[in-house]
Amino acid sequence: SGRWLELDLSTGGNLPANSDDNPSREGMPDLKPGFELGPSLRIKFLDEDRYSLQLRLNARALITIEDIGNWEYQGMLFHPELRWEQVLNDRATLISSVESRYGDEDFHNYYYGVAPVYATEERPEYMADSGFGGYGVNIRLRWSVDRDWRVSAGVRYYELSDAVFNDSPLFERNSASYFYMSVSRMLWRSTRTRALPERELPDGE
């Protein structure tokens, strides 16, 4: 990494979903738990002690997990994100971002494709294209309880009306909003460290 460029890891994931709980997916395979992992090139436009502005170019592969030893590749996601971070005080950091998503055919078809064997009169066969997968905005507050514990809470909004898969029979809503909270703990720390502003501590994204 350099003064204005940094190469890091980008992660994401999804929880399992039972198709029997979704009328649009009835009779189709369940969505398995999965994780996304790949490189993140971070371009630092501003990098001050109390605030920063970065463009994060994230590329991640989606891997789903059936059980231990049974993992399956489900496609690639390109996820650029413009992120602003501002340290409010010794404990609190405000983070806001604007992001967009672009997936390949495999990635979009995992969520929105309908194979011929699962097609019905109400749910025709569908193959998604690669391309634009929507955009979103996010704002959250991160609070450091002490040196090891942190709590985050935020809201996120996604707009999907122009996504390439919005004509899928499994596509139901043009937009979505979420409120979320998380708790994290530092499990291990090197005995050799250097002083970092709070905003530079790893946040699992």
Side-chain angles (χ1 to χ4, degrees):
S1 63
R3 179 71 175 87
W4 302 108
L5 290 176
E6 184 176 86
L7 187 63
D8 208 331
L9 282 177
S10 174
T11 62
N14 64 271
L15 297 174
N18 191 329
S19 293
D20 292 338
D21 297 333
N22 185 343
S24 297
R25 295 188 61 89
E26 186 175 357
M28 296 183 65
D30 297 336
L31 295 178
K32 305 168 188 175
F35 66 92
E36 300 169 5
L37 181 65
S40 174
L41 178 63
R42 302 181 179 184
I43 303 171
K44 306 174 185 179
F45 299 114
L46 293 172
D47 191 27
E48 304 297 334
D49 287 342
R50 301 195 68 84
Y51 56 84
S52 70
L53 178 65
Q54 294 183 3
L55 175 62
R56 298 187 174 191
L57 304 177
N58 309 307
R60 302 195 294 264
L62 172 62
I63 307 296
T64 55
I65 307 168
E66 181 73 32
D67 50 42
I68 297 176
N70 187 6
W71 298 5
E72 188 174 355
Y73 169 78
Q74 301 289 1
M76 287 292 301
L77 171 70
F78 177 56
H79 179 206
E81 175 190 9
L82 185 64
R83 175 184 291 211
W84 169 265
E85 295 191 20
Q86 182 168 356
V87 177
L88 302 178
N89 53 48
D90 291 342
R91 292 184 179 274
T93 301
L94 182 67
I95 303 167
S96 57
S97 64
V98 179
E99 61 189 65
S100 58
R101 298 165 67 89
Y102 302 84
D104 64 11
E105 292 182 359
D106 290 337
F107 185 89
H108 288 159
N109 276 306
Y110 177 69
Y111 294 105
Y112 296 104
V114 180
V117 67
Y118 300 116
T120 65
E121 291 184 2
E122 296 78 19
R123 185 178 62 207
E125 176 185 355
Y126 180 80
M127 293 293 290
D129 294 325
S130 61
F132 181 63
Y135 68 88
V137 293
N138 176 50
I139 184 168
R140 67 184 171 104
L141 182 67
R142 186 174 64 205
W143 181 266
S144 296
V145 179
D146 57 26
R147 190 165 180 258
D148 293 324
W149 287 92
R150 290 190 305 181
V151 177
S152 293
V155 291
R156 178 170 289 170
Y157 172 81
Y158 283 114
E159 177 61 46
L160 306 173
S161 56
D162 294 325
V164 296
F165 48 74
N166 65 5
D167 55 344
S168 166
L170 303 181
F171 184 83
E172 296 181 340
R173 300 180 61 183
N174 287 327
S175 62
S177 57
Y178 306 91
F179 171 78
Y180 59 92
M181 293 187 66
S182 66
V183 178
S184 61
R185 185 185 189 280
M186 183 72 71
L187 297 177
W188 177 85
R189 183 178 284 106
S190 171
T191 56
R192 299 180 61 186
T193 61
R194 65 183 180 91
L196 292 177
E198 168 63 18
R199 61 177 171 77
E200 289 190 44
L201 291 173
D203 58 9
E205 295 187 8

